[in-house]
Amino acid sequence: MMLMALITTIAMNAQYYNVGTSTSTTDIFGTETTTHRNQYGNTTGTSTSSTDIFGTTTTTHRDSYGNTIGTSTSSTDIFGNTTTTHRDRYGNTTGTTRTNQDVFGNTNSTHTDPYGRSTGTSTTSTNVLGTTTTTHRDNYGSTIGTSTSTTDIFGTRSTQQRSNSSNTSIWTW
């Protein structure tokens, strides 16, 4: 009986819910627009990214009504490490993401809150078919969700987001 309860608990914890999708397209000017949808297909917001001549990428996040809800600014140093600063609509820093690539080609990101405390990590790997899988973990190292991205022949990137909680959404920022 105890073994059955343990197996049931493990099975329930291993279940992942579809919590949304993101679709990204890039125009002829290099501006990338990502549309975020919830699990029902309703648009929840957009993110628009552009890169300046210095290589700094600025992303503006908007809700479903077009109101700006925040920004993310990314820059890469000479070692290839990327630092992204997230800000709310008022310009207050809400967190930072530091990203680097290991010798296997995996991308590792560490997320911190405004005070520098770790809030989690994300590890991204790409298979031979070009499918990118990101595993999201909380600050204790427990997996809380995944994001799987594919790109079609037109350059449109589609991302499926899954979470171990049906009430959450995994945003890439």
Side-chain angles (χ1 to χ4, degrees), residues 132-154:
T132 300
T133 302
T134 303
T135 301
H136 307 281
R137 294 180 176 86
D138 62 20
N139 55 327
Y140 302 107
S142 302
T143 299
I144 57 173
T146 62
S147 301
T148 305
S149 300
T150 57
T151 304
D152 64 21
I153 58 172
F154 303 104

Side-chain angles (χ1 to χ4, degrees), residues 1-172:
M1 187 71 168
M2 238 169 121
L3 180 60
M4 182 59 113
L6 178 62
I7 292 171
T8 303
T9 302
I10 291 172
M12 286 176 65
N13 287 339
Q15 183 175 7
Y16 284 88
Y17 301 89
N18 168 18
V19 292
T21 60
S22 298
T23 306
S24 303
T25 57
T26 304
D27 64 22
I28 58 172
F29 303 104
T31 301
E32 181 182 73
T33 300
T34 302
T35 301
H36 308 283
R37 294 181 176 85
N38 63 17
Q39 63 267 46
Y40 307 108
N42 301 315
T43 299
T44 57
T46 60
S47 298
T48 306
S49 301
S50 59
T51 304
D52 63 22
I53 58 173
F54 303 104
T56 301
T57 301
T58 300
T59 304
T60 301
H61 308 286
R62 295 181 176 86
D63 63 18
S64 56
Y65 302 103
N67 302 310
T68 299
I69 57 175
T71 61
S72 299
T73 307
S74 302
S75 58
T76 303
D77 64 22
I78 58 173
F79 303 104
N81 301 312
T82 301
T83 299
T84 304
T85 302
H86 310 287
R87 294 180 174 87
D88 63 20
R89 72 185 74 195
Y90 305 108
N92 302 310
T93 299
T94 58
T96 303
T97 301
R98 290 178 176 80
T99 304
N100 58 57
Q101 195 171 55
D102 63 24
V103 293
F104 303 104
N106 299 316
T107 301
N108 301 300
S109 299
T110 301
H111 311 289
T112 55
D113 67 14
Y115 307 102
R117 297 175 299 209
S118 175
T119 58
T121 61
S122 300
T123 304
T124 303
S125 60
T126 305
N127 66 15
V128 293
L129 303 174
T131 301
T132 300
T133 302
T134 303
T135 301
H136 307 281
R137 294 180 176 86
D138 62 20
N139 55 327
Y140 302 107
S142 302
T143 299
I144 57 173
T146 62
S147 301
T148 305
S149 300
T150 57
T151 304
D152 64 21
I153 58 172
F154 303 104
T156 301
R157 187 175 74 250
S158 298
T159 303
Q160 174 69 60
Q161 299 165 346
R162 292 180 175 85
S163 172
N164 60 1
S165 171
S166 60
N167 297 322
T168 61
S169 175
I170 300 169
W171 282 61
T172 54

